[in-house]
Amino acid sequence: MFRGRKPELTYADVTPKELYFNRRKFLQAMGIAGAAALAGKNLIDLASPPRGVYAGAKFTNLTKSPFSTTEKQNSFEEVSHYNNFYEFGVDKDQPAKNAQKFRTSPWAVSVEGEVKTKRKFTMEEILKLAPLEERIYRHRCVEGWSIVVPWIGFSFSVLAKLVEPTPKAQFVAFESYWDLGQMPKARPELAGIQFPYVEGLRMDEAMHPLTLLCVGMYDDVLPNQDGAPVRMVIPWKYGFKSIKSLVKIRFVPKEPPTTWNLANAHEYGFYSNVNPNVDHPRWSQARERRLGEIFKRATLMFNGYEDQVSSLYTGMDLKKYY
Ligand SMILES: Nc1nc2c(c(=O)[nH]1)N[C@H]1C(S)=C(S)[C@@H](COP(=O)(O)O)O[C@H]1N2
Ligand SMILES: [Mo]
């Protein structure tokens, strides 16, 4: 039993901010006496944070984003148990089961290509690049379901500006982690797609303030099945553009290959902007079902972010560039 004054004491209460994300350092800083004072159950809680190794405390002092929707959020339970993450199985309930032991620490993201300063960012560095914001976004899967999620992160442009892309950087290529040892289902013959999972954005899309480098959701780190420890979220595009468990970012001169386009170019284009007027070859995209609801609702142009992003596509035939 905990015998101190404040049984709900958390990591955040007892550590300076810089130490939140390093448990070993934290325990060292506490010293034996401090650790003993915490005693019992709570020390065990600290030693095995609830969701991920960068956890230990819920994120606090999150900046509220003007881009957040006021629509009703889906529950954490819904968002963490209905996933597409083919590295951990192709069924929606499999990632939550199969990603449990996925090791997300240590973690680093290398940034390469047409930049002045190539750089590898550790996860600890990424978490300190900018104030973390809460961004409540609609997320529309190409399969016809949608969710509303309070993501945590900051605009991808923050990181991009740090490495100083050269004028040759016209697109950004993203790559996910891939390790058959930890992801035995991540084989083309089982999943029907190539690995590692790759995605891409045009430079202006990547630099748009809505494009989020995401490190958490619901005030905490990302659950493994939602793309821990760091992923992209591009809310006006179909969900498959929002690549999970990022390890590499390359600034490149040409449009890079993307996983679903490689798998089936006829059905999945490079742009993949949510568009109720352009059907998928096998189904309509006009309506969608919000997880947890019975009746379908109309899908909005650019997933409801038309005012912010339509200017990126002026003059483009969106039936051709789907
Ligand atoms: N590496 C990787 N990223 C991925 C996927 C995947 O299978 N592998 N699935 C995509 C698809 S189709 C969707 S809809 C979203 C789902 O994100 P969520 O499970 O957090 O809702 O992740 C995208 N990112
Ligand atoms: Mo999706």
Side-chain angles (χ1 to χ4, degrees), residues 84 139-143 145 238-241 260:
N84 273 331
H139 172 106
R140 168 65 156 82
C141 179
V142 73
E143 296 162 48
W145 50 273
Y238 290 116
F240 65 84
K241 298 294 285 182
W260 282 98

Side-chain angles (χ1 to χ4, degrees), residues 82-86 90-92 140-146 238-240 260 268 280 282-285 287-289 296 299:
Y82 194 82
N83 302 101
N84 273 331
F85 198 170
Y86 275 34
V90 298
D91 295 327
K92 304 280 181 289
R140 168 65 156 82
C141 179
V142 73
E143 296 162 48
W145 50 273
S146 65
Y238 290 116
F240 65 84
W260 282 98
Y268 307 104
H280 184 279
R282 289 183 283 138
W283 58 82
S284 163
Q285 291 292 22
R287 302 182 72 72
E288 67 193 54
R289 190 188 312 280
K296 289 191 177 179
T299 285

Side-chain angles (χ1 to χ4, degrees), residues 156-158 160-161 165 202-211 251:
F156 173 78
S157 63
V158 170
K161 282 174 190 159
R202 211 171 57 192
M203 194 64 184
D204 57 347
E205 298 178 317
M207 299 307 280
H208 192 283
L210 279 173
T211 299
F251 290 81

Side-chain angles (χ1 to χ4, degrees), residues 96-306:
K97 294 175 189 148
N98 298 335
Q100 296 258 341
K101 290 188 188 151
F102 179 38
R103 288 188 302 275
T104 58
S105 172
W107 194 273
V109 179
S110 60
V111 187
E112 318 173 352
E114 302 293 347
V115 293
K116 240 189 193 165
T117 20
K118 292 187 179 52
R119 213 179 132 178
K120 205 167 191 168
F121 294 92
T122 66
M123 199 53 213
E124 288 76 7
E125 287 169 334
I126 290 173
L127 287 164
K128 285 191 222 153
L129 287 182
L132 297 180
E133 289 171 38
E134 179 187 72
R135 297 255 187 111
I136 307 166
Y137 280 166
R138 284 179 291 277
H139 172 106
R140 168 65 156 82
C141 179
V142 73
E143 296 162 48
W145 50 273
S146 65
I147 45 179
V148 174
V149 189
W151 302 113
I152 297 164
F154 49 83
S155 294
F156 173 78
S157 63
V158 170
L159 180 142
K161 282 174 190 159
L162 271 175
V163 297
E164 300 178 274
T166 72
K168 282 189 190 155
Q170 297 292 311
F171 292 87
V172 189
F174 302 94
E175 190 177 308
S176 289
Y177 185 84
W178 182 43
D179 168 25
L180 283 171
Q182 292 200 72
M183 301 162 158
K185 293 182 188 295
R187 297 174 179 279
E189 62 274 26
L190 296 177
I193 57 172
Q194 302 283 315
F195 296 100
Y197 196 99
V198 290
E199 256 306 332
L201 294 171
R202 211 171 57 192
M203 194 64 184
D204 57 347
E205 298 178 317
M207 299 307 280
H208 192 283
L210 279 173
T211 299
L212 186 71
L213 189 70
C214 173
V215 298
M217 63 185 218
Y218 298 89
D219 292 350
D220 209 336
V221 295
L222 287 166
N224 291 344
Q225 61 267 33
D226 285 276
V230 55
R231 66 176 295 174
M232 297 299 295
V233 179
I234 304 105
W236 71 94
K237 292 178 179 280
Y238 290 116
F240 65 84
K241 298 294 285 182
S242 295
I243 185 170
K244 294 177 167 180
S245 303
L246 255 185
V247 290
K248 197 184 284 185
I249 297 167
R250 261 186 98 75
F251 290 81
V252 294
K254 295 208 175 83
E255 187 180 290
T258 59
T259 292
W260 282 98
N261 181 253
L262 289 172
N264 191 339
H266 173 62
E267 297 190 0
Y268 307 104
F270 176 79
Y271 285 93
S272 301
N273 293 316
V274 174
N275 189 338
N277 310 315
V278 176
D279 291 342
H280 184 279
R282 289 183 283 138
W283 58 82
S284 163
Q285 291 292 22
R287 302 182 72 72
E288 67 193 54
R289 190 188 312 280
R290 186 66 46 86
L291 280 200
E293 294 183 2
I294 296 167
F295 300 106
K296 289 191 177 179
R297 59 173 72 210
T299 285
L300 304 174
M301 187 63 201
F302 295 113
N303 202 25
Y305 300 95
E306 185 168 15

